[in-house]
Amino acid sequence: MNYPTPRFEQKIIHPENIAVKLQDIKAKTPLVFTNGCFDILHRGHVTYLAQARELGAAMIVALNTDESVKRQGKGDDRPINCLANRLAVMASLECVDFVTYFDEDTPLNLILQILPEILVKGGDWTVDKIVGSQQVLTNGGQVHSIPFLYDTSTTKLVQQIRNNGN
Protein backbone atom coordinates (compact mmCIF):
# COMPACT_ATOMS: atom_id res chain seq x y z
CA MET A 1 0.00 0.00 0.00
CA ASN A 2 1.22 3.49 -0.82
CA TYR A 3 0.74 5.91 2.04
CA PRO A 4 0.28 9.62 1.39
CA THR A 5 2.97 12.14 2.21
CA PRO A 6 2.27 13.50 5.69
CA ARG A 7 0.22 16.70 5.54
CA PHE A 8 2.73 18.59 7.68
CA GLU A 9 5.29 18.39 4.85
CA GLN A 10 3.15 20.99 3.03
CA LYS A 11 4.19 23.54 5.67
CA ILE A 12 7.79 23.48 4.40
CA ILE A 13 8.49 26.39 2.06
CA HIS A 14 11.80 26.50 0.22
CA PRO A 15 13.34 29.99 0.36
CA GLU A 16 13.17 30.42 -3.41
CA ASN A 17 9.36 29.99 -3.13
CA ILE A 18 8.82 32.52 -0.34
CA ALA A 19 7.87 35.30 -2.77
CA VAL A 20 5.24 33.06 -4.38
CA LYS A 21 3.88 31.89 -1.00
CA LEU A 22 4.11 35.33 0.64
CA GLN A 23 0.47 36.13 -0.07
CA ASP A 24 -0.64 32.92 1.67
CA ILE A 25 1.72 33.59 4.56
CA LYS A 26 0.72 37.24 5.00
CA ALA A 27 -3.00 36.38 4.80
CA LYS A 28 -2.67 35.13 8.38
CA THR A 29 -1.99 38.21 10.45
CA PRO A 30 -0.51 39.06 12.73
CA LEU A 31 2.31 36.85 11.52
CA VAL A 32 4.96 35.74 14.02
CA PHE A 33 8.51 35.03 12.81
CA THR A 34 11.21 33.23 14.74
CA ASN A 35 14.37 31.41 13.80
CA GLY A 36 17.08 29.13 15.09
CA CYS A 37 18.95 25.88 14.64
CA PHE A 38 16.48 23.67 16.55
CA ASP A 39 18.91 20.78 16.23
CA ILE A 40 17.55 18.38 18.86
CA LEU A 41 14.07 19.54 19.78
CA HIS A 42 13.50 19.65 23.55
CA ARG A 43 11.00 20.95 26.09
CA GLY A 44 12.52 24.42 26.11
CA HIS A 45 12.09 24.67 22.35
CA VAL A 46 8.49 23.48 22.21
CA THR A 47 7.46 25.68 25.14
CA TYR A 48 9.08 28.73 23.53
CA LEU A 49 7.52 27.96 20.14
CA ALA A 50 4.05 27.52 21.64
CA GLN A 51 4.40 30.80 23.53
CA ALA A 52 5.60 32.60 20.41
CA ARG A 53 2.68 31.27 18.37
CA GLU A 54 0.20 32.61 20.94
CA LEU A 55 1.36 36.13 20.05
CA GLY A 56 -0.17 36.00 16.56
CA ALA A 57 -2.51 34.29 14.12
CA ALA A 58 0.21 32.26 12.40
CA MET A 59 3.93 31.56 12.79
CA ILE A 60 6.76 30.96 10.37
CA VAL A 61 9.96 29.39 11.69
CA ALA A 62 13.20 29.79 9.74
CA LEU A 63 15.94 27.23 10.36
CA ASN A 64 19.66 27.68 9.84
CA THR A 65 21.02 25.39 7.13
CA ASP A 66 23.59 22.81 8.21
CA GLU A 67 26.40 25.05 6.92
CA SER A 68 24.97 28.05 8.77
CA VAL A 69 24.81 26.01 12.01
CA LYS A 70 28.48 25.06 11.60
CA ARG A 71 29.40 28.75 11.30
CA GLN A 72 27.58 29.46 14.59
CA GLY A 73 30.47 27.81 16.46
CA LYS A 74 28.36 25.10 18.08
CA GLY A 75 30.93 22.44 17.19
CA ASP A 76 32.22 20.65 14.12
CA ASP A 77 29.80 17.78 14.68
CA ARG A 78 26.72 20.00 14.72
CA PRO A 79 24.04 19.94 13.67
CA ILE A 80 23.27 16.42 14.83
CA ASN A 81 20.15 16.33 12.64
CA CYS A 82 20.37 17.40 9.00
CA LEU A 83 18.25 20.26 7.67
CA ALA A 84 15.68 18.00 5.98
CA ASN A 85 15.02 16.20 9.26
CA ARG A 86 14.90 19.42 11.29
CA LEU A 87 12.44 20.94 8.80
CA ALA A 88 10.15 17.90 9.00
CA VAL A 89 10.18 17.79 12.80
CA MET A 90 9.48 21.53 13.02
CA ALA A 91 6.68 21.31 10.44
CA SER A 92 5.04 18.52 12.42
CA LEU A 93 4.41 20.84 15.38
CA GLU A 94 0.86 22.11 15.65
CA CYS A 95 1.99 25.61 16.67
CA VAL A 96 4.04 26.03 13.48
CA ASP A 97 2.22 27.16 10.33
CA PHE A 98 5.17 27.51 7.93
CA VAL A 99 8.83 26.46 7.97
CA THR A 100 11.66 27.68 5.77
CA TYR A 101 15.42 27.98 6.01
CA PHE A 102 18.32 30.35 5.37
CA ASP A 103 21.99 29.80 4.61
CA GLU A 104 23.27 33.20 5.71
CA ASP A 105 24.58 33.78 9.23
CA THR A 106 21.37 35.65 10.10
CA PRO A 107 17.79 35.56 8.81
CA LEU A 108 17.77 39.30 8.01
CA ASN A 109 17.06 38.82 4.28
CA LEU A 110 14.06 36.60 5.07
CA ILE A 111 12.78 39.05 7.68
CA LEU A 112 13.04 41.91 5.17
CA GLN A 113 11.25 39.86 2.54
CA ILE A 114 8.46 38.69 4.83
CA LEU A 115 8.23 41.73 7.17
CA PRO A 116 6.34 39.94 9.93
CA GLU A 117 4.20 41.88 12.36
CA ILE A 118 5.81 40.08 15.30
CA LEU A 119 9.45 39.03 15.63
CA VAL A 120 10.38 36.68 18.47
CA LYS A 121 13.53 35.13 19.95
CA GLY A 122 14.30 33.31 23.17
CA GLY A 123 15.22 34.98 26.44
CA ASP A 124 18.94 34.85 25.77
CA TRP A 125 18.41 37.63 23.22
CA THR A 126 17.65 41.21 24.25
CA VAL A 127 15.27 43.02 21.91
CA ASP A 128 17.98 45.41 20.70
CA LYS A 129 20.19 42.44 19.69
CA ILE A 130 17.50 40.52 17.79
CA VAL A 131 18.33 40.56 14.08
CA GLY A 132 15.63 42.45 12.19
CA SER A 133 14.18 44.12 15.28
CA GLN A 134 14.80 47.65 14.05
CA GLN A 135 13.18 46.91 10.68
CA VAL A 136 10.11 45.25 12.24
CA LEU A 137 9.68 48.04 14.78
CA THR A 138 10.06 50.70 12.07
CA ASN A 139 7.35 48.92 10.10
CA GLY A 140 4.99 49.20 13.11
CA GLY A 141 5.53 45.64 14.36
CA GLN A 142 6.47 44.18 17.72
CA VAL A 143 9.61 42.41 18.92
CA HIS A 144 9.61 40.01 21.87
CA SER A 145 12.28 38.19 23.85
CA ILE A 146 10.50 35.32 25.61
CA PRO A 147 12.11 34.29 28.92
CA PHE A 148 13.11 30.64 29.27
CA LEU A 149 10.89 28.54 31.53
CA TYR A 150 13.16 25.49 31.48
CA ASP A 151 16.92 25.14 31.85
CA THR A 152 17.40 23.03 28.73
CA SER A 153 19.67 23.29 25.73
CA THR A 154 20.74 21.09 22.85
CA THR A 155 24.39 21.62 23.83
CA LYS A 156 23.67 20.30 27.35
CA LEU A 157 21.77 17.33 25.91
CA VAL A 158 24.63 16.45 23.57
CA GLN A 159 27.12 16.65 26.45
CA GLN A 160 24.88 14.47 28.62
CA ILE A 161 24.57 11.85 25.86
CA ARG A 162 28.35 11.85 25.33
CA ASN A 163 28.88 11.39 29.07
CA ASN A 164 26.58 8.35 29.08
CA GLY A 165 23.77 10.23 30.79
CA ASN A 166 25.88 11.64 33.61
Side-chain angles (χ1 to χ4, degrees), residues 67-146:
E67 295 77 20
S68 179
V69 171
K70 289 186 186 315
R71 292 192 304 270
Q72 299 292 318
K74 294 179 179 282
D76 294 337
D77 57 348
R78 298 279 303 277
I80 303 293
N81 289 298
C82 69
L83 178 63
N85 292 346
R86 292 183 288 122
L87 287 166
V89 169
M90 187 61 63
S92 74
L93 298 177
E94 183 180 341
C95 64
V96 175
D97 297 278
F98 306 99
V99 185
T100 192
Y101 56 92
F102 60 98
D103 192 43
E104 299 85 7
D105 290 341
T106 74
L108 184 59
N109 289 332
L110 272 177
I111 293 168
L112 293 175
Q113 192 173 6
I114 295 169
L115 270 182
E117 289 80 12
I118 302 168
L119 179 61
V120 182
K121 285 293 281 180
D124 53 341
W125 290 85
T126 58
V127 169
D128 62 312
K129 299 288 185 207
I130 297 173
V131 171
S133 62
Q134 187 174 21
Q135 293 82 353
V136 170
L137 290 169
T138 299
N139 199 47
Q142 303 170 25
V143 180
H144 297 269
S145 175
I146 298 179

